[in-house]
Amino acid sequence: MNMMDDVLISQLPPDILKSSLRALVSQNASSQKVFVEHVRILLRASLPAYPSPSELFGSRPCYTQFLASIRCLFTSKMAIESLPYFTHFLSCIPLAQTQWQPNDKLELALEEACGDIVQAIQALKELRSTPTEQLRECLLSLNSSINNCDVYSVSNNLQFPFVRARLQVDDALHLIFPDARLHHYPIDHGMKLNKRGVNPDIATYANLEHVELGPLKVPRIFNGLWQLSSPAWGTASIYKQHMDFEQLIRIGFVATDMADHYGDAELVYGSFRNQLPLEIGANVIACSKWCVFGPPAKPVTPDFVMEAVLERSRRLGGRVELLQFHWYDYEAKDYLRTLVELVKITKSHPHLVTAIGLCNFDSHHTEEVCQYLLREINEVGIVSNQIQYSLIDSRPTIKMEAVCQKYGVKLLTYGSFCGGFFSDKWLDADAPNIYSEKAQLTPSQRKYFDMINNWGSWDDFHALLRTLKRIAIKHNVDLANVAARWVLNRPSVGAVIAGTRAGISNNSESNLKTFSLTLDAEDTNQLDEYALGNRAQMLYNKIGDCGSEYRQ
Ligand SMILES: NC(=O)c1ccc[n+]([C@@H]2O[C@H](COP(=O)([O-])OP(=O)(O)OC[C@H]3O[C@@H](n4cnc5c(N)ncnc54)[C@H](OP(=O)(O)O)[C@@H]3O)[C@@H](O)[C@H]2O)c1
């Protein structure tokens, strides 16, 4: 190591050191590997100690540091090693006779711990962990410490904070050890879902715009649950999440987008839907995804496809209304047969899946799929394609819109709120330092900040924000509504998906206003100036057609 660098590292204040590490790791895949490997060696050499129940939750509690040290384990690919620590943490709660109050510091920390367990188990599932006896033991012990904590909470009149963790652990056991026998607990909401509260507000419903996706009639704004993939967006208990869903349903936002890999989104949403009165639950539209990110572990056969469908419907505890399919490599042509199978399943097993869509397919391959399906089964079969579309990503205008119009496919768009950058908060604000601890950016903001940089400069972005604000003031709406309305007005756009931090913020009242907004020709021309023409072509040339960023 260069001597000057050595001195620099030893003298830097921690915030600059952290920011520099983030820059290094995010800009260079090989340094990311070295970093994680090095951290793992050090963590293995000094694994956290197990504090006693009174140390963890006593008069000078140390649960915050303990949870931080477990977080280091599972985020450095040591998910299995983290499980006994979670088990210990949960076992200490009854032993220390721990008490908490709604929203006090401890309850919020327990909710965060629950989010951490969800994340650790998700990592474990994604690593396709080998079903060893050690892993079975770890999961069963965690499951039983969760159940003991539930019994303790109920008998002490405390709201049980680990429902999401239980759903996720049970799901992992089901996947990895299908023979494990588990008791299924009902979700006790404490406050209970207000059955009358989920009744639709008829007046609001009447003002919503809807669109047909094959046999489905859906509102033109969906709720998006990518935000449940990581505690980096903040963590909420299942009760708070369900209350948000309840509010969204009441005002008519009944369609929700999620995916197999969005943490516990399918489990949380499924458990919500299954508590609704039947007549209301029947109108809820669950849109999930089957994302094949690498060569499948098994040959692509009708049974393999059915397994994937059954898996989604099991996790949702019922039907998937729209199943969107992502495929990793256009050279591996199995996706064509898979799509034929999926469409066939909508007919043979309508109780499992209603309609099929694509996810992040480019124009050429969307057309290829439509033609193949027409040849094989005499119908287009797919109803939608989910892609990024916003004022700063107008690549779909180059080819995608025309393909969709030709075959009657609707676009479901993400990034239309630019990860939250299309809001008053960012008017006249400096560009965020994405590596700084203080910036507190969500993963969506990180993603779309990159997109802003591809599209233009921060000054250009400010000019766009100011234009949005002027139009918003003219129509008495929020600037986010103007951005969403512009996308909704584009040809073939079925709906925009609004990222929703369920239990934390859902922006539903604001998003409702999108439906009362009509952009006039002058507004549209002003916005087109930022989005269309050379900009769209430049982005298309620079990053490729829709979805190509997922296949590099
Ligand atoms: N298929 C894919 O590859 C893919 C990729 C990305 C996303 N998606 C799907 O699309 C959904 C949306 O995408 P996204 O989350 O990446 O981007 P997004 O919807 O552009 O950004 C989400 C953020 O926008 C903010 N927002 C929403 N409505 C707002 C309003 N009226 N006023 C102010 N801010 C508002 C919220 O910020 P606050 O939370 O701070 O309020 C929210 O977290 C995801 O949840 C996911 O379901 C799919």
Side-chain angles (χ1 to χ4, degrees), residues 223-227 233 257-259 261-262 289 326 359-360 386-387 413-425 442 444-445 447-448 478 480-481 497-501 504-508 510-511 514 550:
N223 321 305
L225 297 188
W226 179 36
Q227 281 63 14
W233 274 282
D257 178 68
M258 59 206 106
H261 62 290
Y262 288 2
K289 304 188 193 86
H326 173 97
C359 176
N360 284 318
Q386 182 173 136
I387 45 143
T413 72
Y414 60 83
S416 308
F417 299 87
C418 199
F421 278 112
F422 287 147
S423 96
D424 280 357
K425 275 182 271 187
T442 63
S444 330
Q445 286 167 330
K447 176 178 171 73
Y448 299 108
D478 299 331
N481 305 139
I497 310 171
T500 307
R501 293 202 262 172
I504 297 170
S505 81
N506 71 45
N507 297 294
S508 55
S510 164
N511 287 334
T514 314
Y550 291 93

Side-chain angles (χ1 to χ4, degrees), residues 422-496:
F422 287 147
S423 96
D424 280 357
K425 275 182 271 187
W426 292 95
L427 267 173
D428 300 319
D430 289 336
N433 171 357
I434 56 165
Y435 301 123
S436 145
E437 195 88 335
K438 286 195 204 103
Q440 296 279 308
L441 294 185
T442 63
S444 330
Q445 286 167 330
R446 287 182 193 284
K447 176 178 171 73
Y448 299 108
F449 186 66
D450 265 0
M451 197 62 216
I452 294 173
N453 288 329
N454 279 320
W455 166 84
S457 68
W458 186 249
D459 282 348
D460 296 338
F461 186 68
H462 261 145
L464 169 57
L465 280 181
R466 282 195 294 271
T467 304
L468 286 169
K469 183 67 185 173
R470 264 199 313 278
I471 299 173
I473 290 171
K474 177 169 136 189
H475 296 284
N476 197 19
V477 293
D478 299 331
L479 72 80
N481 305 139
V482 181
R485 184 78 258 177
W486 182 86
V487 176
L488 285 172
N489 286 358
R490 296 296 310 171
S492 288
V493 170
V496 300

